[in-house]
Amino acid sequence: MAKKYGMIVDVTRCNGCYNCFLACRDEYCGNDYPGYSAAQPYSGQFWMNIIEKERGQYPKVKVAYTPIPCMQCEKPSCADASSNKAVYRRPDGIVLIDPDRAQGQREVVAACPYGVIYWNEEKKLPQKCTFCAHLLDKGWKEPRCVESCPTKALIFGDLNDPGTEISRIAAAANRELEVLHPEYGLMPNVKYIGIPGRFIAGEVVFRDKKDECAVGVRVTLSGKGDADKVTNTDNYGEFEFEGLDADKDYAVLIEHSGYSVKKLKVRTNIDTYLGEILLSKSAAKNG
Ligand code: SF4
Ligand code: SF4
């Protein structure tokens, strides 16, 4: 079976070290690979881009890093927009911009909804990530970015070979692969694990024991159509629910023996830190 190159990006492993970005710069800045790519300029292009996103509010702030190369789409809109077959998909799935034929074809830049094609004003040329096709054709097993990643956040290989690591990960039942913007309909061969959803977090405090952390308080999260999620506050009285749907209504129920039940409503249009939640002693029963 013909090769089909792909990449899996495990966002949970990416620490934003930028090694992949620098390896890409090292490979392409000032270096022409005739037939594959013209030299990348020293500034303004990000063939492996790292999107850094801050999540939550002080004091509960997290940073998520998402590496974004060309998605190597099976239905590349960039190729459709080019003339003279300047942008084409190879039999192994790699989408290339021919550095000679693409001269002057600025319209190709806007044709990519992922925004991964850059215009080289000096050379009048659209440019992007090539999956290091010039190296693969020489026998390399993976692109420079993948080789340089210290955390194994980038996994590369032949998706049509069941023996490759990428195929094993793709087949593993418990690892759900996602693509960025499936609504574009371009069928990317760069797939993602662990794209962050929304989180809801908070800290529970007993009103009558404000100096003590409220440890082991039961917190239940309910959302329409989902099974309830249950957790207990940790040694700091804190709780967190991760990977939630965006823009959805949830109810947070906080229960502890001897204290009144607290119910909060949260809409996940943003990651939400609820801050200190005070639990009051339940009223003593008569008789
Ligand atoms: S991500 Fe953009 S540049 Fe890459 S193949 Fe898809 S449409 Fe083309
Ligand atoms: S080298 Fe790996 S860990 Fe570092 S930014 Fe790139 S993908 Fe993330």
Side-chain angles (χ1 to χ4, degrees), residues 70-73 76-79 95 111-114 116-117 128 186:
C70 163
M71 301 292 143
Q72 308 294 347
C73 306
S77 53
C78 52
V95 178
C112 171
Y114 290 100
V116 298
I117 304 182
K128 70 167 190 70
L186 304 186

Side-chain angles (χ1 to χ4, degrees), residues 205-210 259 262 278-281:
V205 175
F206 295 131
R207 193 182 287 274
D208 59 321
K209 301 179 198 166
K210 278 193 182 171
Y259 289 83
K262 194 120 192 176
L278 290 172
L279 282 196
S280 302
K281 280 267 189 200

